[in-house]
Amino acid sequence: MGKRITVDPVTRIEGHLKIDVEIENGKVKDAWSSGTMARGIELLLRGKDPRDASYVTSRICGVCYSVHQLCSAYALDDAFGAKVPTGGTLLRNLVMGAEYIYDHMLHFYHLTALDYLDVMAIANYKGDDKELLAVKDKIVGLVKSNDTYPLTPRYKPDEYCVNDPDTVITAVKHYIDALAMQAKARNMGAIFGGRQPHYQSIVVGGLTQYPDINQVLQFKTMLDEQAKFVEEVYIPDVMAFGTGPLFPLAKMGLGGGHYNYLSYGALKTNPPKNDLLFPAGVIIDMDPANLRVKPFEAAKITESVKHAWYKDSKPLHPAKGVTEYDLDKENGYSFVKAPRYEGHSMEVGPLARMLIKKDPALIDLVKKGAKPGAVARHAARAIETKQVIDACYKWIDQLLTEMTKPGFKIHDSENWEIPDAGEGAGFYEPPRGALGHWIEIEDKKIKNYQAVVPSTWNASPRCDKDVRGQYEESLIGAPVPDPDNPINVVRIIRSFDPCLACAIHLIDPQSNEVKKFIVE
Amino acid sequence: MSPILGDINRRDFIKYTAMTAAALGLSQIDVMNKVSEAMAASSSDKPPVIWLEGQDCAGCTTSFASTLNPPAASIILDTISLRYHETIMAASGHKSEQALHHTVKEGGYVLLVEGSIPLADGRFCMIAGRPFEEIVLECAKNAAAIIAVGACATYGGVPAAGPTGSVGVREVVKNKPIINISTCPVHPDHLVGTIVYYLTTGKVPPLDKEGRPLMYFGESIHDNCRRHAYFEEGKLLQDWNDPEQKNWCLIDKGCKGPVTYADCSVRRWNDGLNFCIDCGAGCRGCAEPIFYAGMSPLYSDPTGKAEELKKEAKIREAKRKELNTGKEVK
Ligand code: SF4
Ligand code: SF4
């Protein structure tokens, strides 16, 4: 029996997560991932006005709020029979574009970079760059006043931490710069989203912000600034780390997991046409030499609750899930359920999307010997951020053309009133991966609501067949030479960009079937 | 302090004093002196801050982290000593818990709480193996000031409508004053402004009966709304596609401005870029204790207040017309 250690809370993620690992001979032998907070967002929606759903589900997560608002609006569009006009789709897409840019940047610099940097190495910076010296003064000042919170305490830097003063000081400067850049990217989204966090304008049928030309130009100017930062700072930083100091971790395949990947597909590049920026697909047991992508079929999803704090049932399709909570359950250890695709434990998110897209830049990295895992996840994020920016420019051009057309529309006002009854499903690919919302309406009220979110896939506990979730599996074999310093454990977990407030939800017994599958 | 970042920091704080001066009843120069004193002292002895997250979505954290004036980085690194904040801090697991225990033992910190507290069963929110309620109570004991941040921590917010018995801090910590900064999420100006107020005066700002700083929550959204003239004329937006109606009153789309007290109409959001009413969606009433359940259905009129106000406005409009016609006759 190895030594069991607990990391609780795992910080610099969204939400409350506990990770238990068993360590034997300096390596992780087994692992358990537990979500430790629940609010019951779907339950509280029952009996409410269906139009409230996109506003309320935004509160599932304060980091990726917009994706829930959108996915919920997709489900409502479906249930109301609303046809979102092209103008509405373009504006929604631009808001989502802004969301991608800030979310990926925030994750790399503010949530994860500290795992790879020995910040205190800054004191040894010998250069004369004025801006870098300002950063040095700041950090040295903190050390001198004996108050280095929140940069310390921390896990001890290990051999994979970068401690070259020039690299570290530049990265920390970028951390500070990126904090302003992510805020500006959010504000960019607020031009059409209304305000951030928790955008206000996305509603069933489209959105409420009628754009004027100045707003579109303002969005474009702000996008220019983001594009410059992403191309000149963010992508070079990720690639320099990934192919440089972190390459040994990439080659080792730290945080690989099951090598099963899933994407629902999202974002029409040229609405109303159906071409998607991120294609849908499934990869099971990936062979890097021969990437086989199968079509995605929504009906193949089941959710198991054997190890989750819900009353037992056999695995069911999420929209049919029988799930009342049971906090005393003996073999339960998480509020997160265990979704499976044809029984397989899947990874969702940027790495899954870029593999399913067979993106040349990512494939190139894999060919160079970087195994899919923690480092490849950071690379995939950077790669797709650029793709989203390019798409935003196209959406802006298309929007400007649309706006000159007579009868330009942003909302389907014909279908704003609540139908007596109906069902709807919405699917989207947020930065963290596959997201689905389901709604059932009866007597003009919400009868049932369900969301299966990206981190439910990634952070799931074991399923009915006791197959580990993707976090758990990706930890197996990770080097932990010092049990008091499990830095590789948090590196792996953070590489997924966990969002636990998302992953946890209390749901109710009866539910509707998924009938349609819409992607926008 | 670093020459570049230090200057930005000071300049932005001085800008803040303009906003705080009126509320303090002092001249701006007095406040500037106070802030300068506080800033000078701060380089060696920054006030310790604990930021707890319970049943939250981290939206208030990201709201705070996206404040550009002053930049969040300078607040975190130059102004306060942020001892504990799950979403920001470097440490994890036992290291982060050590930082918390150490700070609680020292005492005299500002305690910020984000997220509600589940009373139905402590196991709905466990951190480091402990129920959130227990953590809040422990941290409250030695706190110099307690600020409930956002709708969930003040009055329960969205989770209060759910099955976990979620409440705000004031339902749990009974023996100390709680400063409630509502809205979902918190407005970064409200939060930073309240912290600056406390750090420069050492006092809790004047509060309304719900514990909200009067300087931010004293006036009605509706009274200060730029669309108010349209409301008076009965020009009420019906179709978001019609450019002519673009700036009309949103009361028929369920705007909760008439029942909500906050300064969003004047301050707006995201450095004045946009906000709930400007974007055509309307106010959802997130500053009020009855939010969310009491404001639902969000896109209609659950309190009946809108109908009442519309009727009164109609009478006023009719009188105005009558007067105008009268003049023409003369
Ligand atoms: S109802 Fe809303 S939009 Fe209309 S005037 Fe009042 S606050 Fe403004
Ligand atoms: S305008 Fe209303 S809904 Fe918007 S933030 Fe202010 S109080 Fe909340």
Side-chain angles (χ1 to χ4, degrees), chain B residues 229-249:
Chain B
Y230 288 115
F231 167 77
E232 284 295 323
E233 282 175 50
K235 289 190 167 161
L236 314 178
L237 182 140
Q238 304 299 318
D239 185 353
W240 282 296
N241 292 311
D242 180 0
E244 202 200 325
Q245 298 180 32
K246 189 182 164 183
N247 294 318
W248 289 7
C249 169

Side-chain angles (χ1 to χ4, degrees), chain B residues 221-222 225 227-228 231 248-251 255-258 277:
Chain B
I221 298 266
H222 180 66
C225 181
R227 301 184 182 219
H228 201 99
F231 167 77
W248 289 7
C249 169
L250 299 166
I251 202 157
C255 181
K256 303 291 185 287
I277 291 175

Side-chain angles (χ1 to χ4, degrees), chain A residues 6-16 36-41 43-45 48-49 51-52 54-56 58-63 65 85 106 110-111 114-115 130-131 133-135 137-139 141-142 145 147 149-156 175-176 179-184 186-188 190-198 200-203 207-212 215 218 222 309 325 327-328 335 408-413 416 483-486 490 494 501 506, chain B residues 1-6 43-46 53-60 62-68 71-74 76-78 80-99 102-103 116 118 120-121 123-130 152 158-164 166 183-186 238-243 246 252-253 269-271 273-276 278-286 291-293 295-300:
Chain A
T6 302
V7 182
D8 181 13
V10 177
T11 55
R12 277 183 283 122
I13 62 164
E14 198 295 313
H16 301 291
T36 59
M37 188 275 274
R39 289 170 295 172
I41 300 276
L43 273 185
L44 74 85
L45 277 171
K48 298 288 191 305
D49 181 328
R51 293 174 301 197
D52 284 13
S54 55
Y55 181 92
V56 170
S58 174
R59 274 69 189 167
I60 289 177
C61 177
V63 180
Y65 39 92
L106 179 91
H110 309 110
L111 300 181
L114 294 175
D115 295 339
K130 253 178 102 181
E131 291 187 26
L133 281 171
V135 175
D137 282 355
K138 184 189 277 284
I139 302 296
L142 296 176
S145 61
D147 183 350
Y149 294 103
L151 300 171
T152 65
R154 55 177 180 163
Y155 287 143
K156 267 192 301 264
Y175 175 107
I176 294 169
L179 199 57
M181 289 308 294
Q182 64 87 27
K184 289 181 185 175
R186 287 158 179 281
N187 282 356
M188 187 170 98
I191 294 177
F192 303 123
R195 70 115 206 241
Q196 61 83 12
H198 295 311
Q200 293 277 110
S201 70
I202 295 173
V203 293
L207 84 176
T208 66
Q209 174 69 67
Y210 193 91
D212 66 38
Q215 286 176 308
Q218 187 184 14
M222 291 171 88
W309 286 309
Y325 53 91
L327 297 178
D328 302 312
F335 280 117
F408 168 73
K409 278 188 164 186
I410 58 168
H411 186 255
D412 178 1
S413 307
W416 171 247
D484 281 336
N485 206 47
V490 290
R494 288 199 187 105
L506 303 176
Chain B
M1 200 177 280
S2 71
I4 295 171
L5 295 160
S43 56
S44 57
D45 205 6
K46 298 185 292 181
E53 290 168 277
Q55 287 185 301
D56 70 323
C57 70
C60 294
T62 56
S63 186
F64 163 74
S66 65
T67 167
L68 290 162
S74 88
I76 297 168
L77 295 175
D78 304 332
I80 60 171
S81 173
L82 187 58
R83 302 294 178 86
Y84 188 90
H85 188 314
E86 281 188 68
T87 314
I88 293 172
M89 69 195 304
S92 270
H94 67 287
K95 292 267 179 195
S96 57
E97 294 318 286
Q98 274 168 15
H102 178 76
T103 309
S116 56
D121 192 315
R123 289 174 291 180
F124 282 122
C125 185
M126 303 283 285
I127 299 149
R130 295 198 295 158
C152 304
V158 168
T164 60
S166 308
T183 78
C184 176
V186 77
Q238 304 299 318
D239 185 353
W240 282 296
N241 292 311
D242 180 0
K246 189 182 164 183
D252 280 354
K253 296 292 179 191
W269 274 73
N270 311 129
D271 291 304
L273 189 76
N274 208 341
F275 91 107
C276 319
D278 281 359
C279 78
C283 171
R284 303 273 85 88
C286 74
F291 172 84
Y292 148 73
M295 294 293 178
S296 173
L298 294 173
Y299 300 93
S300 28

Side-chain angles (χ1 to χ4, degrees), chain B residues 17-38:
Chain B
T17 59
M19 288 155 51
T20 322
L24 285 166
L26 295 171
S27 81
Q28 203 173 318
I29 291 172
D30 288 341
V31 180
M32 253 147 66
N33 288 340
K34 275 181 187 286
V35 172
S36 299
E37 277 165 32

